[in-house]
Amino acid sequence: MRTGYARRAVTQKSIPLYDQDFLLESPVAQELYHEHAKNQPIIDYHCHLPPEQVATNHRFRSLTEIWLDGDHYKWRALRTNGVPEQLITGGADDYQRFEAWAATVPKTLRNPLYHWTHLELKDPFGIRDRLLDPSTARGIYDHANKLLATDDFTTQGLMRHFRVAVVCTTDDPADDLAHHQAYRASPGSDFVRMVPTYRPDKSLAIEDPTQFAAYVKRLEAASGLGIQRYEQLIEALEKRHTFFHELGCRLSDHGLETMYAEDYTASEVARTFERVLAGEVVSPAEAARYKSAVLYDLARFDHARGWTQQFHLGAIRNLNSRMQRKLGPDTGFDSIGDFEVARPLARFLDRLDGSDQLAKTILYNLNPRDNEVMGALIGCFQGSGIPGKIQYGSAWWFLDQLDGMERQMEALSNLGLLSRFVGMLTDSRSFLSYSRHEYFRRLLCNLLGRDVVRGRRPDDRKLLGELVRDVSYRNAASYFGLELPPRGPSA
């Protein structure tokens, strides 16, 4: 066992970002991280990794593909730095795009991208002695590309390197899950499990009748059922819910501006559905009642099958209409919203709890003003013999950074039980984003170490170490009921 941890002096030749004790400000924090957190497996219970790339063991053509393609965080920074769109999402070649990013990285100082960038260069690429800037770009690019050409740096190789036990992708009920089925039958699943997550957001999106009707046709094809009435929609969604469950799915997910928990009658919801399917635009109040009904019915399915339901609340999306016309949705033009959270969310949870149909639930807020709201609200619906049944989810999206993660853990600690927290997730489209788990674990250990140094917590390394192991991995392994790979990483 390592003992005698101490901060090393920073010299001109050392780069603290690459130091083994980065962010660990005390010997207590250092011991907790290196002995209890660092080597724990990962259960990535929410991400946006492409299932096809996992199933086919995709090999990346370059550092640009694995790092810049589809990364909205980096795209926003590049735009803010004045980089032309041609070098971001346009037709420029891979190295030109990488050069633009290398020139932007020094300008991201104090943005979380600066930390993430260098943590990802350190692990898995082993680049510890250089910061990324125009003078180091060519060497870093060539070094990384040589590694990406090897078997250890394919999608499956990278997940094994990062000790990923289970990865939960994000999938629409109408998806055929062909890649999940193929991967499930492959040798790779013996080391890393990949399971779908049921995300039915499009079944709620009735504001555009044309798009909604097209989605209903997709759902008809996937379910093999005709859908002309609301009850048929719910029957099709339930059939797909069963299909997902058979492929190992144990989580649903919803991305909503706010929770919908309006009072409604079956007849008015049925009428709203039929009008939208006929091409009619309905009022916001009618849409809210329809969404309230769908969310309630889906939540009942989750409870019946013992799933965990996740609600990501508070994003306001696609704000730049000009760029949406040019690039499409979800291309980096979203923001934090200021929607009402507490009252509709409480109504929704209470409605389910009242009929004893409240599933395990994880709640994520995007507006930091709601941290304490979430921390307090989850305490009203705990119980049923399930430790941490209602979870305040990890800092999400714009809050997924040093300050945001610390503030989320502070709110959870003050108003709930940090010891029952299911911990970190990547919420990313990048196979390099597993460094976020390292980042989170370092911050967790530093938070506890700081408390000990200040005399606020007992210097009981066994007690603290057990909490770190639980939050890093064991709570998630117990909470979700996911099947672990027989030859995967062990705790």
Side-chain angles (χ1 to χ4, degrees):
M1 179 174 179
R2 283 186 66 187
T3 58
Y5 296 97
R7 287 292 291 175
R8 293 194 296 276
V10 176
T11 69
Q12 289 183 335
K13 293 183 179 180
S14 68
I15 300 176
L17 290 175
Y18 302 132
D19 189 284
Q20 65 175 352
D21 295 330
F22 172 54
L23 297 179
L24 305 174
E25 298 170 336
S26 68
V28 180
Q30 293 159 20
E31 181 177 327
L32 290 176
Y33 177 73
H34 291 294
E35 297 295 339
H36 299 284
K38 180 179 179 180
N39 293 321
Q40 291 296 308
I42 289 173
I43 292 181
D44 192 14
Y45 57 90
H46 174 68
C47 74
H48 299 277
L49 295 178
E52 180 180 6
Q53 290 190 349
V54 177
T56 60
N57 200 19
H58 179 74
R59 191 183 303 276
F60 297 93
R61 70 179 184 270
S62 70
L63 183 55
T64 300
E65 181 190 3
I66 194 172
W67 228 15
L68 296 174
D69 286 4
D71 191 331
H72 305 164
Y73 292 85
K74 292 186 178 72
W75 292 357
R76 288 168 67 95
L78 286 160
R79 290 171 184 139
T80 303
N81 199 39
V83 174
E85 196 67 30
Q86 173 76 3
L87 294 172
I88 304 173
T89 61
D93 68 36
D94 278 6
Y95 188 66
Q96 288 175 318
R97 293 172 59 206
F98 181 78
E99 276 189 309
W101 174 239
T104 297
V105 168
K107 305 301 183 184
T108 67
L109 202 62
R110 297 207 86 245
N111 184 287
L113 282 164
Y114 196 81
H115 283 172
W116 293 346
T117 293
H118 292 100
L119 285 175
E120 290 170 8
L121 289 176
K122 174 180 70 73
D123 191 15
F125 295 109
I127 300 171
R128 302 169 183 271
D129 59 347
R130 286 166 285 175
L131 297 173
L132 180 58
D133 61 33
S135 71
T136 61
R138 185 81 249 182
I140 287 174
Y141 187 76
D142 291 344
H143 173 81
N145 285 349
K146 287 179 182 178
L147 292 174
L148 288 168
T150 68
D151 291 343
D152 289 339
F153 282 74
T154 61
T155 55
Q156 294 178 27
L158 286 166
M159 288 194 294
R160 289 173 67 172
H161 167 82
F162 285 114
R163 296 178 57 78
V164 178
V166 183
V167 58
C168 301
T169 61
T170 300
D171 309 275
D172 189 278
D175 292 347
D176 62 14
L177 302 185
H179 298 300
H180 287 85
Q181 295 180 73
Y183 180 74
R184 191 179 180 89
S186 74
S189 65
D190 287 342
F191 298 93
V192 182
R193 286 277 191 248
M194 178 175 69
V195 296
T197 296
Y198 186 92
R199 179 138 175 176
D201 290 359
K202 292 180 180 178
S203 68
L204 279 73
I206 61 173
E207 287 79 4
D208 186 325
T210 301
Q211 289 187 5
F212 182 72
Y215 177 71
V216 169
K217 290 295 183 184
R218 278 191 62 207
L219 189 59
E220 284 182 328
S223 65
L225 300 173
I227 304 174
Q228 288 82 42
R229 301 187 304 277
Y230 176 78
E231 58 268 27
Q232 292 173 324
L233 171 74
I234 298 303
E235 182 183 1
L237 289 170
E238 199 279 334
K239 186 174 181 180
R240 299 304 292 170
H241 200 277
T242 301
F243 177 62
F244 273 56
H245 187 83
E246 291 170 350
L247 286 178
C249 177
R250 297 295 182 269
L251 296 96
S252 68
D253 181 44
H254 306 264
L256 306 170
E257 292 182 343
T258 185
M259 183 54 70
Y260 296 94
E262 302 297 319
D263 292 329
Y264 59 86
T265 65
S267 60
E268 64 186 357
V269 170
R271 177 61 182 149
T272 295
F273 176 77
E274 291 167 8
R275 288 167 56 201
V276 172
L277 211 56
E280 185 176 340
V281 176
V282 297
S283 70
E286 290 169 318
R289 288 192 289 271
Y290 166 83
K291 293 179 183 185
S292 300
V294 175
L295 286 170
Y296 177 76
D297 285 331
L298 292 171
R300 292 188 300 106
F301 301 156
D302 291 342
H303 177 267
R305 291 202 168 88
W307 286 16
T308 298
Q309 55 187 358
Q310 301 176 91
F311 297 97
H312 289 83
L313 303 173
I316 182 168
R317 300 175 187 266
N318 304 314
L319 301 185
N320 189 318
S321 56
R322 176 180 62 84
M323 293 304 290
Q324 184 177 2
R325 289 192 297 271
K326 181 178 179 179
L327 300 177
D330 305 321
T331 49
F333 300 95
D334 310 315
S335 183
I336 295 171
D338 56 353
F339 307 100
E340 183 182 12
V341 171
R343 193 173 300 276
L345 181 54
R347 282 169 57 91
F348 175 78
L349 297 175
D350 187 59
R351 183 174 290 170
L352 291 162
D353 188 73
S355 59
D356 195 23
Q357 292 179 298
L358 179 57
K360 290 178 288 186
T361 304
I362 306 178
L363 305 173
Y364 307 86
N365 62 289
L366 196 56
N367 194 320
R369 69 169 192 192
D370 299 321
N371 286 9
E372 280 71 24
V373 170
M374 291 296 195
L377 193 148
I378 63 171
C380 300
F381 298 97
Q382 303 287 3
S384 303
I386 303 172
K389 177 182 176 180
I390 312 299
Q391 291 274 328
Y392 176 23
S394 62
W396 170 49
W397 202 345
F398 294 104
L399 307 184
D400 181 9
Q401 25 80 1
L402 187 151
D403 180 65
M405 283 191 257
E406 286 191 342
R407 291 178 64 185
Q408 185 270 347
M409 285 189 279
E410 292 283 10
L412 176 57
S413 299
N414 288 329
L415 298 166
L417 296 179
L418 177 66
S419 59
R420 291 301 187 182
F421 182 31
V422 293
M424 190 56 178
L425 45 81
T426 61
D427 189 29
S428 173
R429 293 167 175 81
S430 173
F431 287 85
L432 299 181
S433 289
Y434 289 109
S435 62
R436 296 183 189 180
H437 286 261
E438 175 188 345
Y439 200 66
F440 167 82
R441 292 173 183 183
R442 287 177 180 271
L443 291 174
L444 169 66
C445 293
N446 194 58
L447 193 67
L448 296 171
R450 186 188 306 156
D451 284 349
V452 172
V453 170
R454 293 176 177 178
R456 296 178 177 178
R457 310 288 176 252
D459 189 3
D460 183 333
R461 305 297 169 92
K462 184 177 186 301
L463 177 66
L464 296 168
E466 289 298 304
L467 186 152
V468 168
R469 288 173 181 264
D470 285 343
V471 175
S472 295
Y473 171 72
R474 294 190 306 205
N475 286 347
S478 172
Y479 183 82
F480 294 112
L482 294 161
E483 183 183 4
L484 300 177
R487 302 172 64 186
S490 58

